[in-house]
Amino acid sequence: MSFQIKENTDAYDVIIVGSGAGGGMASKILAEAGLSVAVVEAGGDFDPAKEEDRTQLRPPWESPRRGAGTKIRPFGDFDQAIGGWEIDGEPYTRKDGTQFDWFRSRMVGGRTNHWGRISLRFGPNDFKRASLDGLGDDWPIGYEDIKPYYDKVDKLIGIFGSKEGIYNEPDGFFLPPPKPRLHELFIKKGADKVGIPMIPSRLSILTRPINAERGVCFFCAQCNRACQAYADFSSGTCLLHPAMKKGKVDLFTYAMVRKVTTDDAGKATGVSFVSKVDLKEYKLKSRVVVLGASACESARIMMNSKSKSHPNGIGADSGVLGRYLHDSTGADRMGIMPELFDRDRYNEDGVGGLHMYTPWWKDNKQLDFARGYHIEYWGGMGQPAYGAGGGMDALRSYLKDEFGAPSPNGGYGEGLKKDIRRIYGASLGMSGRGESIPQYSNYCEIDPNVVDKYGIPVLRFHYKWTEQEIKQAKHMQDTFEEILTQSGAILLGTKPGPETMYGLAAPGRIIHEVGTTRMGKDPKSSVVNPNCQVHACNNLFVVDAGPFVSQADKNPTWTILALSWRTSEYIVEQLKQKNM
Amino acid sequence: MNRRENLKVLFASSLGAGLLLNACQPGEKEQDAKGMGTLGGRTEEEKLRDAQLLKEQFFTEEEQKKIRTLVDFLLPADENSPSATEVGVPEFIEFMMKDQPNLQTPMRGGLQWLDFESDELFGTTFNTLNSSQVKEIIDLVAWPDKASAAYSGAVRWFNLLRNLTCSGYFSTEAGWKYMGYMGNQPNVWDGVPASVLAKYGLSNPEKYAAIYLKPEDRAKVATWDEEGNLIG
């Protein structure tokens, strides 16, 4: 078969690369404005309401591995997110002893199919960190610029929570939160004793309907499997598919973008992509290109978009592209609650995630690290699947018989079976998710020696945590022990110490990587302007988490959605004014 | 059909890649009803991999016999629940050996050790032992805190076997029934039952009593005032 480039002679108003939170929101806002839109997605399409795509409510015996994770579904065989930490034919590399793991989902909706639906607004302080502690940089925009978009996102997509009036944890338009689970009440008892707040979680799950198109939560705890009632947020069900129904939106799936094409004046003219289906090269044309491929993937596309007018790639001349890559920090601890042995049975599935959480509650001026973290709690009578009844070689001795004698660890037989039933639902734990300090020296770049199976040069990562993150993780571990102990739990495992950086997860592992195409007013120190418009190419925009100047101790999705909405409105306005 | 429509037809179909992959793999049979791959939302790669793993055989017949003996020793039937072999634990462990190949050597090594130890103690192979002899061997490795240091490798293997056996048992319908798991079905969460709260002297935080989800409101479309207060 001869090689040929297939060129589409029709031009779109806008091409959007990626269909996750940023790309999905852009597709909806731009299509509603009457623009013709092409969405180019590296994976396939699916609809959780169709029986053939459904993984929700499937019991583990419908999987020969009983729900265990696989390479392409590391979070479980029924997890909806397809991709994982390592994708065949799509490598990335690391340099200088870097430990950085990159989680990708190749599918409509991207990683919104995977995430925990924790939807926290950044607060006023989160945009002005450098002014408060002298580290990193302020955002060029503030909370007041983005608040109207957070409000609109709340109402469009839906989120439950409680109005608290905490300055840096802004309230929104909340649906009713669910009552706590039992282990959350136990943990709250402990947290109360040491003055650590616990409030209803803020998750983008519909406890009540917000429109006629989407159903309400029926409490199966399986948001990660994609909801057939569309009762949780994922970009496909809430943004892209509705946009395709109402507007002029063409979806190109299995389409791996190679580069943004440009003209002699340096303006974007469209994208060039390779089809994973027929391995042919294609080109699409548009007046505007929007990148929402994820912070690292969008940076990669820009670096690879070399041309006569952009010999180093688009936006690469300042040397900032790919820099300031940062992920949330993460550390965890687990315990077992003797009071919960032999507990009464009832359906405790609840929503897909925690019902209560702890927002950052301390003043960093009193601490030896600069930024905060929030705490997520887990436990309860979850669905027994792969892993159920495990660890009895170490856990069984926490059980005592009627005379107070401990059961022996390990063992076999009816006694083992009964003890597994007694201990079910008694373990619990918590995870801290914190803010790191963005560093110029943490970055991704093009590996000069490696390409993927499509011949596209791949990313190479350089990343080191600093003392700031390590001290924060130490504080997390101290806090976890305090809460668990005060709750009446027995700590499991040994406390992670300096030899493991206090259990600090490797960068990338929390899947909040941001900052590669940072926002700023000065083209010398930033890649995009405060409207997420690339300084070096005014009809190219970035709507994923790349423009984040700093990541806050929150999850990035709600801010990606709000920023993408704001950027999309700006694009519509600029097109109207014929500025592009 | 113009160029754009052509491309749209080609790429909008999620079947495209599937057809292509299927074409590359002629002769793949549909999985038989008993040993099925995972159901729901599978990629073509996943379907092919599951079908391939289900066709392969890892354990020898002797090893299979050992596994059957061991899993029923670990989780036997009692008056309320079936045994591990009755709910398919050996087939699950067989599958996991191929799905997670890093388990193969530790598992095979442990099964091999059984014959060495049987020979040392009884001058024969494990599969010919009577049940009290089997118990004698298993007791050497089943109790991690008491086992002699000389058996630490075999203890680790037996821990692995115990974990896999439990995974395979409690992830079945019978396992759920035994465990008393009541979820995985549509329901309305209205908090921990009052009787359970009373038992532990706990209560839902009073502060949020007015805003927690009320089951009777689940059909009402939410509306807010300008301040974000839920008003309908």
Side-chain angles (χ1 to χ4, degrees), chain A residues 51 61 81 86 91 188 204 295 349 391 399 492 525 539:
Chain A
E51 181 60 15
W61 52 89
E86 306 287 339
K188 182 163 193 311
S204 49
D349 283 350
L399 289 161
L492 293 177
S525 58
N539 63 340

Side-chain angles (χ1 to χ4, degrees), chain A residues 77 163 217 253 277 412 417, chain B residues 11 20 38 76 139 167 218 227:
Chain A
D77 204 18
K163 289 179 74 124
C217 180
T253 55
V277 179
Y412 51 78
K417 215 173 178 178
Chain B
F11 289 100
L20 191 80
T38 302
D139 275 331
S167 266
R218 283 177 82 238
E227 306 297 300

Side-chain angles (χ1 to χ4, degrees), chain A residues 130-391:
Chain A
S131 297
L132 294 168
D133 62 24
L135 298 170
D137 291 286
D138 286 350
W139 289 56
I141 58 173
Y143 179 69
E144 63 286 358
D145 295 307
I146 196 170
K147 178 187 184 295
Y149 297 95
Y150 279 135
D151 289 351
K152 292 201 275 190
V153 170
D154 285 358
K155 288 186 250 185
L156 173 71
I157 289 174
I159 172 176
F160 68 71
S162 57
K163 289 179 74 124
E164 300 283 341
I166 304 169
Y167 177 71
N168 202 45
E169 313 293 332
D171 297 326
F173 291 75
F174 293 130
L175 296 167
K179 288 174 184 166
R181 298 186 181 92
L182 187 56
H183 66 275
E184 291 166 330
L185 291 171
F186 268 100
I187 293 171
K188 182 163 193 311
K189 201 174 67 173
D192 283 349
K193 284 187 206 163
V194 289
I196 295 173
M198 270 179 80
I199 65 174
S201 57
R202 295 174 171 185
L203 310 187
S204 49
I205 296 170
L206 302 185
T207 50
R208 284 182 50 190
I210 54 168
N211 58 37
E213 281 78 50
R214 294 170 57 202
V216 287
C217 180
F218 53 81
F219 304 100
C220 73
Q222 297 169 17
C223 293
N224 67 319
R225 299 188 185 190
C227 185
Q228 54 194 310
Y230 305 154
D232 59 0
F233 170 65
S234 69
S235 182
T237 55
C238 300
L239 299 171
L240 179 59
H241 289 156
M244 289 171 73
K245 268 184 204 136
K246 285 185 193 159
K248 290 177 277 183
V249 180
D250 288 352
L251 170 64
F252 295 80
T253 55
Y254 299 108
M256 187 77 187
V257 170
R258 185 178 290 285
K259 63 194 291 186
V260 174
T261 53
T262 48
D263 60 18
D264 290 344
K267 296 234 182 196
T269 54
V271 300
S272 168
F273 69 86
V274 52
S275 159
K276 294 182 174 184
V277 179
D278 63 6
L279 296 179
K280 287 198 175 75
E281 300 287 329
Y282 294 86
K283 280 192 172 130
L284 291 177
K285 285 199 161 69
S286 64
R287 298 158 73 193
V288 173
V289 175
V290 172
L291 297 177
S294 83
C296 295
E297 198 74 70
S298 290
R300 177 187 177 202
I301 291 169
M302 289 173 72
M303 292 173 191
N304 280 328
S305 297
K306 292 178 179 162
S307 64
K308 244 185 275 175
S309 48
H310 297 277
N312 302 314
I314 301 176
D317 292 344
S318 67
V320 181
L321 182 62
R323 298 268 171 184
Y324 301 103
L325 167 65
H326 59 295
D327 188 17
S328 295
T329 56
D332 321 285
R333 193 69 197 273
M334 190 171 177
I336 193 160
M337 186 75 78
E339 283 187 81
L340 289 175
F341 292 156
D342 299 304
R343 57 185 295 189
D344 292 337
R345 302 304 202 243
Y346 54 92
N347 183 346
E348 202 180 38
D349 283 350
V351 301
L354 56 165
H355 290 193
M356 299 195 81
Y357 90 113
T358 293
W360 179 235
W361 70 103
K362 290 262 190 197
D363 176 3
N364 287 90
K365 293 203 174 77
Q366 317 292 323
L367 298 164
D368 64 351
F369 57 96
R371 308 279 167 92
Y373 57 90
H374 74 260
I375 308 175
E376 303 170 8
Y377 301 99
W378 31 276
M381 294 188 284
Q383 182 178 117
Y386 184 80

Side-chain angles (χ1 to χ4, degrees), chain A residues 111-130:
Chain A
R111 295 181 292 185
T112 65
N113 294 297
H114 157 78
W115 68 309
R117 273 73 184 178
I118 299 173
S119 303
L120 305 173
R121 294 180 178 209
F122 285 15
N125 293 344
D126 294 324
F127 294 94
K128 304 290 169 206
R129 285 291 167 199

